[in-house]
Amino acid sequence: MRTALRGAVQRWRDEHGGNKHWADKHGTDERWADEHGGVEFVIAVSGGPDSLALAAAAAAEKLPAHVVSIDHGLQDGSRAVSEGAIGQVGQWGLSGQVVSVRVVGEPLEAAARHARYQALGDLAGDRPILLAHTGDDQAETLLLGLLRGKASAMGEMSDYQGHTLLRPLLGIRRAHTVGACRELGVAAWNDPHNTDEAFRRVAIRRQVLPLLDQIIGGDATAPLVRAAELLREDDDYLHTLTPKLERATAATEQCTEPATQPAEPSTEPATQQPPALEIAELGPPPLARRAIAKFLQRHGARVSASTLEASIAFIHDWHGQGAVSVGNGLELARQAGKLVLLHSSLGDDNQPSASST
């Protein structure tokens, strides 16, 4: 796990040129500017074995990091669990804090994830956020996405509303994080929700994957993880084919909150411009889907096969159709040759997200 963390941090540094701008801005110690690009990382720790193992690896690597444990308040004693996690990482020399959030909306998994990422992003600012998703999580995410009609996989490095998310343990299995905690003598917390098969992810973990193991007579998770890696490679390559789109997206999106606007056509001047994509720059459907998915994720909206299908219809089958709800109080609409993200006039919806990562 230390090797995996070291590699992910180095790849992040290579991608961002050592993030010298961050080091200059924050005036960090020269030693860390040389070895780690002058960056303090934020580590999300729940108290479970995956995140505690990641924090232990960071401490062993002497990575400058601040640990955050999000208390969702969804279970009795959740605050004590978070405080216990912070107490544990403190014994390894890491600073930390508990942040309480309010989970609003359905489905519960997606709403909790949105609240968690929002809080982490608000606290992290420019700092990268380390998440402890493992290869087992990756396999589950791939299956969940396929069942929703959209193959999806987590990337080692991704963006959420302008914040960098790093997942260094995607090549590590859950058995290894559990073993690491046992080796360290750490009593990790076992979330009761992880045994509740009413959650689709848990049902896949406890029912589907063991059945697949039985069918192939071996470990079904490993080839699923490899398939997810190939999917991410394909996605990353396709994104490189649209540099003009990326520049257009950055120029078109505004830093203001989405504002409700009338549907196309509109001749009224907008007093506040919502985040938008120029339809003329989106290209063919395979590239357009990826650009739209990235756009929605960046602004905290949910991505699903039905959302992307409706988005493509806005482009290639436009006949004045209404806005599409994309969760978290937002909707996507077509206006004046653009796809725009607006505040929903109907409030939040129950549409499931593309994954529960």
Side-chain angles (χ1 to χ4, degrees):
M1 281 181 286
R2 291 176 63 179
T3 301
L5 175 62
R6 197 179 308 137
V9 168
Q10 184 59 53
R11 284 185 288 275
W12 181 85
R13 289 186 62 207
D14 293 343
E15 180 80 11
H16 293 79
N19 201 16
K20 294 178 181 178
H21 169 72
W22 199 101
D24 293 342
K25 178 180 177 181
H26 294 273
T28 52
D29 182 272
E30 290 183 1
R31 180 175 67 90
W32 285 117
D34 291 338
E35 297 179 10
H36 297 283
V39 175
E40 180 184 63
F41 293 81
V42 169
I43 307 178
V45 171
S46 66
D50 299 343
S51 57
L52 282 177
L54 175 59
E61 287 295 302
K62 302 188 185 306
L63 192 72
H66 181 71
V67 176
V68 179
S69 185
I70 303 296
D71 174 22
H72 299 87
L74 297 175
Q75 303 175 48
D76 292 339
S78 61
R79 178 81 187 187
V81 171
S82 290
E83 290 175 348
I86 296 303
Q88 177 60 68
V89 302
Q91 294 180 29
W92 297 330
L94 296 173
S95 65
Q97 68 185 96
V98 178
V99 175
S100 297
V101 299
R102 182 168 174 259
V103 178
V104 179
E106 294 289 343
L108 183 62
E109 287 176 289
R113 181 180 66 253
H114 176 70
R116 177 168 65 252
Y117 282 10
Q118 188 73 53
L120 286 169
D122 290 345
L123 186 143
D126 294 334
R127 294 174 293 180
I129 302 168
L130 293 173
L131 303 174
H133 296 117
T134 65
D136 298 79
D137 295 311
Q138 181 76 289
E140 295 160 9
T141 295
L142 178 62
L143 290 176
L144 282 167
L146 290 171
L147 290 173
R148 293 172 180 137
K150 177 185 177 294
S152 58
M154 293 180 285
E156 180 182 74
M157 193 182 314
S158 61
D159 176 274
Y160 182 81
Q161 293 186 312
H163 303 286
T164 298
L165 306 180
L166 290 179
R167 300 179 177 90
L169 303 186
L170 288 180
I172 300 294
R173 297 296 295 274
R174 188 172 292 132
H176 297 147
T177 65
V178 171
C181 288
R182 184 181 301 115
E183 181 179 314
L184 292 168
V186 174
W189 175 61
N190 292 311
D191 186 350
H193 283 167
N194 288 335
T195 62
D196 186 351
E197 296 180 10
F199 295 105
R200 290 182 181 179
R201 179 176 289 269
V202 177
I204 285 177
R205 181 181 306 160
R206 294 170 64 90
Q207 298 181 33
V208 177
L209 283 169
L211 178 59
L212 291 176
D213 290 344
Q214 181 181 339
I215 289 172
I216 70 171
D219 179 18
T221 296
L224 289 172
V225 170
R226 180 55 182 156
E229 291 172 351
L230 294 174
L231 177 62
R232 289 300 310 186
E233 287 180 7
D234 290 348
D235 277 344
D236 290 344
Y237 174 70
L238 287 170
H239 280 305
T240 67
L241 300 180
T242 57
K244 182 178 179 181
L245 171 63
E246 291 300 323
R247 289 194 296 271
T249 299
T252 304
E253 293 178 29
Q254 304 295 318
C255 296
T256 56
E257 288 294 314
T260 303
Q261 299 289 331
E264 186 178 348
S266 173
T267 58
E268 295 296 324
T271 57
Q272 190 179 36
Q273 294 297 317
L277 291 174
E278 290 281 357
I279 288 175
E281 301 291 344
L282 289 174
L287 298 182
R289 288 189 190 94
R290 285 163 173 80
I292 294 166
K294 186 175 181 179
F295 170 72
L296 293 174
Q297 290 167 346
R298 181 179 299 158
H299 292 285
R302 301 175 193 160
V303 180
S304 69
S306 59
T307 297
L308 294 179
E309 183 178 354
S311 301
I312 295 301
F314 280 143
I315 302 169
H316 297 289
D317 185 26
W318 173 245
H319 49 270
Q321 57 265 46
V324 177
S325 178
V326 290
N328 296 322
L330 301 171
E331 60 187 18
L332 189 70
R334 172 169 172 157
Q335 295 179 3
K338 300 177 183 179
L339 296 183
V340 296
L341 196 60
L342 313 170
H343 280 307
S344 174
S345 59
L346 300 178
D348 205 356
D349 68 319
N350 292 327
Q351 178 181 330
S353 85
S355 70
S356 55
T357 60

PDB file of all heavy atoms in Angstrom, residues 3 8 29 36 39 46 64 70 81 92 127 150 154 157 195 207 210 216 250 267 273 285 292:
ATOM      1  N   THR A   3       3.736   1.467  -1.453  1.00  0.00           N
ATOM      2  CA  THR A   3       4.208   1.575  -2.832  1.00  0.00           C
ATOM      3  C   THR A   3       3.130   2.161  -3.733  1.00  0.00           C
ATOM      4  O   THR A   3       3.403   3.017  -4.591  1.00  0.00           O
ATOM      5  CB  THR A   3       4.630   0.196  -3.359  1.00  0.00           C
ATOM      6  OG1 THR A   3       5.674  -0.328  -2.524  1.00  0.00           O
ATOM      7  CG2 THR A   3       5.125   0.281  -4.793  1.00  0.00           C
ATOM      8  N   ALA A   8       1.021   6.833  -6.842  1.00  0.00           N
ATOM      9  CA  ALA A   8      -0.081   7.751  -7.163  1.00  0.00           C
ATOM     10  C   ALA A   8       0.328   9.199  -6.937  1.00  0.00           C
ATOM     11  O   ALA A   8       0.009  10.083  -7.742  1.00  0.00           O
ATOM     12  CB  ALA A   8      -1.307   7.407  -6.317  1.00  0.00           C
ATOM     13  N   ASP A  29       7.574  24.076   3.352  1.00  0.00           N
ATOM     14  CA  ASP A  29       8.947  23.712   3.652  1.00  0.00           C
ATOM     15  C   ASP A  29       9.659  23.233   2.389  1.00  0.00           C
ATOM     16  O   ASP A  29       9.110  22.486   1.597  1.00  0.00           O
ATOM     17  CB  ASP A  29       8.931  22.587   4.706  1.00  0.00           C
ATOM     18  CG  ASP A  29      10.319  22.178   5.114  1.00  0.00           C
ATOM     19  OD1 ASP A  29      10.878  21.292   4.443  1.00  0.00           O
ATOM     20  OD2 ASP A  29      10.840  22.741   6.099  1.00  0.00           O
ATOM     21  N   HIS A  36       7.634  16.233  -2.428  1.00  0.00           N
ATOM     22  CA  HIS A  36       6.210  16.033  -2.634  1.00  0.00           C
ATOM     23  C   HIS A  36       5.531  17.192  -3.356  1.00  0.00           C
ATOM     24  O   HIS A  36       4.308  17.286  -3.365  1.00  0.00           O
ATOM     25  CB  HIS A  36       5.507  15.794  -1.289  1.00  0.00           C
ATOM     26  CG  HIS A  36       5.966  14.548  -0.598  1.00  0.00           C
ATOM     27  ND1 HIS A  36       5.560  13.287  -0.974  1.00  0.00           N
ATOM     28  CD2 HIS A  36       6.836  14.369   0.425  1.00  0.00           C
ATOM     29  CE1 HIS A  36       6.138  12.380  -0.191  1.00  0.00           C
ATOM     30  NE2 HIS A  36       6.914  13.013   0.656  1.00  0.00           N
ATOM     31  N   VAL A  39       2.984  19.991  -1.303  1.00  0.00           N
ATOM     32  CA  VAL A  39       1.544  19.840  -1.134  1.00  0.00           C
ATOM     33  C   VAL A  39       1.197  19.131   0.167  1.00  0.00           C
ATOM     34  O   VAL A  39       1.806  18.120   0.503  1.00  0.00           O
ATOM     35  CB  VAL A  39       0.961  19.028  -2.314  1.00  0.00           C
ATOM     36  CG1 VAL A  39      -0.519  18.762  -2.105  1.00  0.00           C
ATOM     37  CG2 VAL A  39       1.170  19.780  -3.615  1.00  0.00           C
ATOM     38  N   SER A  46     -12.959   7.076   7.217  1.00  0.00           N
ATOM     39  CA  SER A  46     -14.255   6.750   7.824  1.00  0.00           C
ATOM     40  C   SER A  46     -14.102   6.019   9.147  1.00  0.00           C
ATOM     41  O   SER A  46     -15.018   6.005   9.964  1.00  0.00           O
ATOM     42  CB  SER A  46     -15.068   5.871   6.860  1.00  0.00           C
ATOM     43  OG  SER A  46     -14.434   4.607   6.702  1.00  0.00           O
ATOM     44  N   PRO A  64       2.887  14.752   3.970  1.00  0.00           N
ATOM     45  CA  PRO A  64       2.194  15.824   4.703  1.00  0.00           C
ATOM     46  C   PRO A  64       0.697  15.746   4.432  1.00  0.00           C
ATOM     47  O   PRO A  64       0.252  15.923   3.296  1.00  0.00           O
ATOM     48  CB  PRO A  64       2.812  17.108   4.125  1.00  0.00           C
ATOM     49  CG  PRO A  64       3.311  16.712   2.777  1.00  0.00           C
ATOM     50  CD  PRO A  64       3.726  15.273   2.873  1.00  0.00           C
ATOM     51  N   ILE A  70     -15.782  12.339   8.016  1.00  0.00           N
ATOM     52  CA  ILE A  70     -17.103  12.916   7.827  1.00  0.00           C
ATOM     53  C   ILE A  70     -18.133  12.129   8.638  1.00  0.00           C
ATOM     54  O   ILE A  70     -18.276  10.922   8.471  1.00  0.00           O
ATOM     55  CB  ILE A  70     -17.515  12.902   6.337  1.00  0.00           C
ATOM     56  CG1 ILE A  70     -16.485  13.655   5.492  1.00  0.00           C
ATOM     57  CG2 ILE A  70     -18.900  13.506   6.172  1.00  0.00           C
ATOM     58  CD1 ILE A  70     -16.359  15.115   5.804  1.00  0.00           C
ATOM     59  N   VAL A  81     -17.525   7.137  16.270  1.00  0.00           N
ATOM     60  CA  VAL A  81     -16.712   6.395  15.304  1.00  0.00           C
ATOM     61  C   VAL A  81     -15.718   7.331  14.629  1.00  0.00           C
ATOM     62  O   VAL A  81     -14.529   7.029  14.489  1.00  0.00           O
ATOM     63  CB  VAL A  81     -17.604   5.697  14.255  1.00  0.00           C
ATOM     64  CG1 VAL A  81     -16.759   5.124  13.127  1.00  0.00           C
ATOM     65  CG2 VAL A  81     -18.416   4.587  14.906  1.00  0.00           C
ATOM     66  N   TRP A  92      -0.457   8.129  14.892  1.00  0.00           N
ATOM     67  CA  TRP A  92       0.539   7.965  13.828  1.00  0.00           C
ATOM     68  C   TRP A  92       1.163   9.304  13.435  1.00  0.00           C
ATOM     69  O   TRP A  92       1.938   9.373  12.484  1.00  0.00           O
ATOM     70  CB  TRP A  92      -0.106   7.323  12.598  1.00  0.00           C
ATOM     71  CG  TRP A  92      -0.628   5.945  12.856  1.00  0.00           C
ATOM     72  CD1 TRP A  92      -0.156   5.042  13.739  1.00  0.00           C
ATOM     73  CD2 TRP A  92      -1.748   5.325  12.204  1.00  0.00           C
ATOM     74  NE1 TRP A  92      -0.894   3.890  13.694  1.00  0.00           N
ATOM     75  CE2 TRP A  92      -1.882   4.030  12.753  1.00  0.00           C
ATOM     76  CE3 TRP A  92      -2.641   5.723  11.207  1.00  0.00           C
ATOM     77  CZ2 TRP A  92      -2.868   3.141  12.339  1.00  0.00           C
ATOM     78  CZ3 TRP A  92      -3.622   4.841  10.797  1.00  0.00           C
ATOM     79  CH2 TRP A  92      -3.734   3.552  11.357  1.00  0.00           C
ATOM     80  N   ARG A 127      -6.036  21.651  -2.066  1.00  0.00           N
ATOM     81  CA  ARG A 127      -5.303  20.433  -1.736  1.00  0.00           C
ATOM     82  C   ARG A 127      -5.962  19.194  -2.344  1.00  0.00           C
ATOM     83  O   ARG A 127      -7.184  19.067  -2.328  1.00  0.00           O
ATOM     84  CB  ARG A 127      -5.222  20.274  -0.217  1.00  0.00           C
ATOM     85  CG  ARG A 127      -4.402  21.354   0.467  1.00  0.00           C
ATOM     86  CD  ARG A 127      -4.469  21.247   1.986  1.00  0.00           C
ATOM     87  NE  ARG A 127      -5.794  21.545   2.511  1.00  0.00           N
ATOM     88  CZ  ARG A 127      -6.121  21.518   3.797  1.00  0.00           C
ATOM     89  NH1 ARG A 127      -5.215  21.186   4.690  1.00  0.00           N
ATOM     90  NH2 ARG A 127      -7.337  21.821   4.190  1.00  0.00           N
ATOM     91  N   LYS A 150     -24.680   2.014 -18.337  1.00  0.00           N
ATOM     92  CA  LYS A 150     -23.537   2.891 -18.615  1.00  0.00           C
ATOM     93  C   LYS A 150     -22.301   2.328 -17.931  1.00  0.00           C
ATOM     94  O   LYS A 150     -22.194   2.340 -16.710  1.00  0.00           O
ATOM     95  CB  LYS A 150     -23.793   4.313 -18.103  1.00  0.00           C
ATOM     96  CG  LYS A 150     -22.605   5.255 -18.303  1.00  0.00           C
ATOM     97  CD  LYS A 150     -22.875   6.599 -17.670  1.00  0.00           C
ATOM     98  CE  LYS A 150     -21.662   7.518 -17.801  1.00  0.00           C
ATOM     99  NZ  LYS A 150     -20.502   7.023 -17.018  1.00  0.00           N
ATOM    100  N   MET A 154     -13.906   3.998 -11.847  1.00  0.00           N
ATOM    101  CA  MET A 154     -13.224   5.073 -11.139  1.00  0.00           C
ATOM    102  C   MET A 154     -11.812   5.240 -11.680  1.00  0.00           C
ATOM    103  O   MET A 154     -11.155   4.256 -12.036  1.00  0.00           O
ATOM    104  CB  MET A 154     -13.168   4.772  -9.636  1.00  0.00           C
ATOM    105  CG  MET A 154     -14.519   4.778  -8.953  1.00  0.00           C
ATOM    106  SD  MET A 154     -14.394   4.421  -7.174  1.00  0.00           S
ATOM    107  CE  MET A 154     -14.091   2.647  -7.193  1.00  0.00           C
ATOM    108  N   MET A 157      -7.106   9.352 -10.725  1.00  0.00           N
ATOM    109  CA  MET A 157      -7.133  10.797 -10.573  1.00  0.00           C
ATOM    110  C   MET A 157      -8.387  11.321 -11.260  1.00  0.00           C
ATOM    111  O   MET A 157      -8.644  11.006 -12.418  1.00  0.00           O
ATOM    112  CB  MET A 157      -5.884  11.419 -11.204  1.00  0.00           C
ATOM    113  CG  MET A 157      -5.637  12.866 -10.865  1.00  0.00           C
ATOM    114  SD  MET A 157      -4.152  13.518 -11.733  1.00  0.00           S
ATOM    115  CE  MET A 157      -2.966  12.197 -11.462  1.00  0.00           C
ATOM    116  N   THR A 195     -23.555  -4.551   5.476  1.00  0.00           N
ATOM    117  CA  THR A 195     -24.208  -5.870   5.493  1.00  0.00           C
ATOM    118  C   THR A 195     -25.681  -5.770   5.108  1.00  0.00           C
ATOM    119  O   THR A 195     -26.382  -6.783   5.105  1.00  0.00           O
ATOM    120  CB  THR A 195     -24.080  -6.519   6.890  1.00  0.00           C
ATOM    121  OG1 THR A 195     -24.742  -5.693   7.860  1.00  0.00           O
ATOM    122  CG2 THR A 195     -22.616  -6.684   7.273  1.00  0.00           C
ATOM    123  N   GLN A 207     -23.775 -11.081  -2.842  1.00  0.00           N
ATOM    124  CA  GLN A 207     -24.496 -12.102  -3.597  1.00  0.00           C
ATOM    125  C   GLN A 207     -23.904 -12.345  -4.983  1.00  0.00           C
ATOM    126  O   GLN A 207     -23.611 -13.480  -5.353  1.00  0.00           O
ATOM    127  CB  GLN A 207     -25.976 -11.706  -3.750  1.00  0.00           C
ATOM    128  CG  GLN A 207     -26.749 -11.588  -2.456  1.00  0.00           C
ATOM    129  CD  GLN A 207     -28.204 -11.221  -2.698  1.00  0.00           C
ATOM    130  OE1 GLN A 207     -28.810 -11.603  -3.692  1.00  0.00           O
ATOM    131  NE2 GLN A 207     -28.773 -10.458  -1.793  1.00  0.00           N
ATOM    132  N   PRO A 210     -19.765 -13.335  -5.210  1.00  0.00           N
ATOM    133  CA  PRO A 210     -19.513 -14.731  -4.827  1.00  0.00           C
ATOM    134  C   PRO A 210     -20.068 -15.727  -5.842  1.00  0.00           C
ATOM    135  O   PRO A 210     -19.440 -16.767  -6.100  1.00  0.00           O
ATOM    136  CB  PRO A 210     -20.226 -14.860  -3.470  1.00  0.00           C
ATOM    137  CG  PRO A 210     -20.207 -13.479  -2.915  1.00  0.00           C
ATOM    138  CD  PRO A 210     -20.408 -12.590  -4.105  1.00  0.00           C
ATOM    139  N   ILE A 216     -16.964 -19.097 -12.399  1.00  0.00           N
ATOM    140  CA  ILE A 216     -15.687 -19.201 -13.121  1.00  0.00           C
ATOM    141  C   ILE A 216     -14.671 -20.062 -12.384  1.00  0.00           C
ATOM    142  O   ILE A 216     -13.595 -20.349 -12.907  1.00  0.00           O
ATOM    143  CB  ILE A 216     -15.081 -17.816 -13.405  1.00  0.00           C
ATOM    144  CG1 ILE A 216     -14.591 -17.148 -12.116  1.00  0.00           C
ATOM    145  CG2 ILE A 216     -16.073 -16.925 -14.138  1.00  0.00           C
ATOM    146  CD1 ILE A 216     -13.784 -15.880 -12.367  1.00  0.00           C
ATOM    147  N   ALA A 250     -14.103  25.364 -20.506  1.00  0.00           N
ATOM    148  CA  ALA A 250     -13.578  26.248 -19.467  1.00  0.00           C
ATOM    149  C   ALA A 250     -13.993  27.694 -19.717  1.00  0.00           C
ATOM    150  O   ALA A 250     -14.264  28.450 -18.791  1.00  0.00           O
ATOM    151  CB  ALA A 250     -12.058  26.143 -19.423  1.00  0.00           C
ATOM    152  N   THR A 267     -34.655  35.231 -25.807  1.00  0.00           N
ATOM    153  CA  THR A 267     -34.164  36.520 -26.283  1.00  0.00           C
ATOM    154  C   THR A 267     -33.911  37.484 -25.131  1.00  0.00           C
ATOM    155  O   THR A 267     -33.438  38.588 -25.340  1.00  0.00           O
ATOM    156  CB  THR A 267     -35.178  37.158 -27.251  1.00  0.00           C
ATOM    157  OG1 THR A 267     -36.426  37.309 -26.567  1.00  0.00           O
ATOM    158  CG2 THR A 267     -35.372  36.274 -28.473  1.00  0.00           C
ATOM    159  N   GLN A 273     -25.192  34.021 -15.589  1.00  0.00           N
ATOM    160  CA  GLN A 273     -24.998  32.946 -16.546  1.00  0.00           C
ATOM    161  C   GLN A 273     -24.791  31.610 -15.839  1.00  0.00           C
ATOM    162  O   GLN A 273     -23.926  31.503 -14.966  1.00  0.00           O
ATOM    163  CB  GLN A 273     -23.794  33.255 -17.435  1.00  0.00           C
ATOM    164  CG  GLN A 273     -23.978  34.460 -18.334  1.00  0.00           C
ATOM    165  CD  GLN A 273     -25.109  34.250 -19.332  1.00  0.00           C
ATOM    166  OE1 GLN A 273     -25.231  33.187 -19.927  1.00  0.00           O
ATOM    167  NE2 GLN A 273     -25.953  35.248 -19.493  1.00  0.00           N
ATOM    168  N   PRO A 285     -21.338  11.633 -30.855  1.00  0.00           N
ATOM    169  CA  PRO A 285     -21.877  11.126 -29.580  1.00  0.00           C
ATOM    170  C   PRO A 285     -20.862  10.507 -28.626  1.00  0.00           C
ATOM    171  O   PRO A 285     -20.921  10.789 -27.425  1.00  0.00           O
ATOM    172  CB  PRO A 285     -22.939  10.113 -30.031  1.00  0.00           C
ATOM    173  CG  PRO A 285     -23.430  10.658 -31.330  1.00  0.00           C
ATOM    174  CD  PRO A 285     -22.205  11.237 -31.994  1.00  0.00           C
ATOM    175  N   ILE A 292     -20.105  15.597 -21.554  1.00  0.00           N
ATOM    176  CA  ILE A 292     -21.276  15.932 -20.743  1.00  0.00           C
ATOM    177  C   ILE A 292     -21.165  15.292 -19.359  1.00  0.00           C
ATOM    178  O   ILE A 292     -21.474  15.920 -18.338  1.00  0.00           O
ATOM    179  CB  ILE A 292     -22.566  15.498 -21.459  1.00  0.00           C
ATOM    180  CG1 ILE A 292     -22.760  16.327 -22.736  1.00  0.00           C
ATOM    181  CG2 ILE A 292     -23.778  15.655 -20.543  1.00  0.00           C
ATOM    182  CD1 ILE A 292     -23.812  15.770 -23.680  1.00  0.00           C
TER     183      ILE A 292
END
